[in-house]
Amino acid sequence: ILGGKRMVPRGVASILGHDCFNDPSAARQVIYCGDWWRTQFFMNLTIANLLGEALCGTKRVQHLAEVLQVNLNWKINEISDGQRRRCQLLEILAAPRPVYLMDEITSDLDLFAREGILNFLRAESEIRGATVFYCTHIFDHLEGWASHFLHLSQGEVVRVAPVGEVQEYSQLLADGHLTPLYELVRRWIYAEYQESSAKPWRKIDSNLDGRVPNLGLAGPFQMTSA
């Protein structure tokens, strides 16, 4: 919705004073990353062709290419899915914007590229004053990265607050918990499921191959004899 990808009634959602869907000028302020490229879109262009000479020569693009390990002469149709995602991140971040909406952007990145992109986005916020919405299910090494938490449930805002004002998180840090961010989000999710009829797992007594899940969520399986 914030990225203007879904039609909503006028006035329901705005960003930087612009209606997210109905005001075309909002697109110049916001960049969304979550819809990944497919090979047939590019007619074998190189990433340099796509960006253009002016952008390719900037220090910003050169830095991003180094962080993401992208060769600007790669032909987009000929590279792997993982390489193509890195190229798309480079294209999206090549020009600065006031607002970035990042949806699971690091799921296919190696440690070097992931750390580099997270550091880059943090610098965009701290130095340029940009706002970065980072949606993720991967919480490794994110301690201390975010400035605010935004907790959504069923399309509604449950909580939005600076990290330091979330008492549960502060307590986990004080207790020396090894993965405080993961534990905080886990507690929120399980508390929500306990309050509703929805569950994060399916109850299955048996499976076609004889396995029986023993954790509900993705995890170890118990083997049963035939």
Side-chain angles (χ1 to χ4, degrees):
I1 292 174
L2 290 178
K5 303 296 184 180
R6 178 174 296 182
M7 185 173 67
V8 294
R10 189 178 297 274
V12 167
S14 63
I15 196 161
L16 297 178
H18 302 281
D19 188 283
C20 291
F21 184 83
N22 297 287
D23 187 346
S25 63
R28 295 193 292 269
Q29 308 294 319
V30 180
I31 192 70
Y32 169 76
C33 184
D35 296 329
W36 298 104
W37 288 345
R38 293 178 175 83
T39 57
Q40 62 266 33
F41 292 168
F42 294 99
M43 300 176 65
N44 224 21
L45 290 172
T46 66
I47 186 65
N49 294 148
L50 182 66
L51 292 174
E53 186 176 347
L55 274 179
C56 285
T58 63
K59 291 183 179 180
R60 182 185 180 93
V61 165
Q62 295 298 320
H63 172 70
L64 285 167
E66 180 179 353
V67 166
L68 290 167
Q69 299 169 293
V70 167
N71 184 331
L72 296 177
N73 292 317
W74 280 346
K75 290 188 175 181
I76 298 172
N77 280 13
E78 296 179 355
I79 56 181
S80 69
D81 289 342
Q83 289 172 324
R84 195 155 39 247
R85 284 203 176 194
R86 301 208 305 268
C87 288
Q88 185 174 356
L89 280 171
L90 173 57
E91 188 267 340
I92 282 171
L93 296 172
R97 302 289 182 93
V99 179
Y100 299 91
L101 305 176
M102 307 277 98
D103 186 7
E104 296 287 2
I105 62 168
T106 62
S107 58
D108 289 331
L109 300 183
D110 61 24
L111 186 148
F112 178 82
R114 181 175 185 270
E115 186 172 297
I117 281 297
L118 290 176
N119 288 339
F120 179 85
L121 290 172
R122 183 168 182 170
E124 284 287 280
S125 177
E126 293 178 347
I127 297 174
R128 291 190 50 254
T131 298
V132 180
F133 289 87
Y134 180 48
C135 304
T136 185
H137 293 90
I138 304 172
F139 303 109
D140 298 350
H141 306 295
L142 284 180
E143 311 299 342
W145 185 81
S147 61
H148 290 68
F149 287 134
L150 172 60
H151 180 191
L152 297 171
S153 176
Q154 305 294 323
E156 301 288 338
V157 175
V158 176
R159 178 182 326 195
V160 57
V163 170
E165 295 181 9
V166 179
Q167 294 301 317
E168 305 102 302
Y169 185 67
S170 298
Q171 188 60 52
L172 287 167
L173 289 174
D175 292 343
H177 202 286
L178 295 178
T179 55
L181 181 57
Y182 169 84
E183 181 61 24
L184 174 69
V185 176
R186 180 181 180 277
R187 290 181 183 182
W188 284 350
I189 291 173
Y190 274 80
E192 181 176 325
Y193 281 122
Q194 289 171 1
E195 294 173 359
S196 69
S197 58
K199 299 295 179 185
W201 58 80
R202 294 177 299 162
K203 291 184 177 180
I204 302 177
D205 293 329
S206 62
N207 211 332
L208 293 178
D209 61 2
R211 298 181 299 168
V212 178
N214 69 351
L215 289 183
L217 298 171
F221 284 87
Q222 297 173 336
M223 298 302 296
T224 59
S225 58

